[in-house]
């Protein structure tokens, strides 16, 4: 929900959606601060789901992860390209995870779990889907004033882009 909190709507679970809704989700990902909050694997997860226009299985989604599988499993692989270089971003994501009683986000499976418990995605009966409108980072995680200001800036940019 890339609106202000006082305009908050309750997101709906989507099972099938149009390309226009997919485009809206992409703009909401940007406006909601997800581009700055997630490692590339997280944006790949959100983008792949949005662009499919229907729910996906974990196997289907795993095929788009930007990682090399270990023993055929992409989900157990690190979601970070270089944890040392991305330590600050990882620490922020870990803080978000702790707010939902989750441990550090290190694998693609951890990342998917966090997106589900935060209410950005849903999973049921082996299917994974998005919610609409997409909630912003500041609507599902405790953020600092600096983070809130950066997300507000991203919302303004997204609004100008249409």
């Amino acid at each position: 929900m890339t609106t202000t909190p006082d305009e908050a709507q309750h997101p709906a679970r989507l099972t099938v959606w149009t390309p226009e809704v997919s485009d809206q989700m992409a703009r909401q990902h940007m406006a909601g601060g997800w581009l700055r909050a997630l490692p590339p694997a997280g944006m790949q997860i959100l983008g792949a789901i949005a662009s499919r226009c229907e729910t996906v299985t974990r196997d289907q989604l795993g095929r788009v992860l930007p990682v090399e599988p270990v023993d055929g499993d992409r989900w157990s692989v690190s979601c970070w390209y270089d944890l040392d270089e991305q330590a600050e971003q990882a620490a922020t994501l870990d803080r978000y995870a702790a707010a939902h009683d989750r441990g550090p986000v290190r694998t693609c499976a951890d990342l998917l779990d966090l997106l589900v418990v935060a209410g950005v995605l849903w999973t049921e009966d082996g299917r994974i889907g998005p919610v609409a409108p997409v909630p912003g980072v500041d609507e599902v995680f405790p953020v600092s004033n600096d983070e809130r200001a950066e997300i507000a800036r991203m919302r303004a940019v997204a609004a100008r882009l249409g």
Side-chain angles (χ1 to χ4, degrees), residues 24-43:
Q24 285 177 330
M25 280 190 271
R27 286 191 300 277
Q28 291 169 352
H29 293 153
M30 183 175 112
W34 293 106
L35 291 172
R36 63 162 284 287
L38 298 176
M43 289 312 302

Side-chain angles (χ1 to χ4, degrees), residues 32-149:
W34 293 106
L35 291 172
R36 63 162 284 287
L38 298 176
M43 289 312 302
Q44 192 74 23
I45 289 169
L46 292 180
I49 289 174
S51 67
R52 286 285 300 230
C53 296
E54 64 182 359
T55 61
V56 296
T57 66
R58 189 176 167 106
D59 263 1
Q60 290 170 320
L61 188 55
R63 289 186 211 127
V64 303
L65 292 173
V67 298
E68 288 299 319
V70 174
D71 297 328
D73 181 17
R74 292 179 185 268
W75 291 102
S76 63
V77 176
S78 176
C79 59
W80 303 99
Y81 288 134
D82 186 328
L83 189 55
D84 291 334
E85 287 185 18
Q86 296 172 292
E88 186 176 332
Q89 186 182 23
T92 299
L93 204 58
D94 290 348
R95 179 170 45 87
Y96 296 164
H100 286 277
D101 296 321
R102 295 302 198 263
V105 177
R106 294 297 174 265
T107 67
C108 293
D110 296 337
L111 190 55
L112 177 61
D113 177 63
L114 182 60
L115 292 169
V116 170
V117 300
V120 179
L121 300 175
W122 61 268
T123 183
E124 186 175 297
D125 297 329
R127 305 296 298 176
I128 302 166
V131 299
V134 177
V137 170
D138 56 338
E139 295 169 291
V140 296
F141 298 125
V143 298
S144 69
N145 288 336
D146 288 343
E147 289 169 306
R148 190 172 308 285

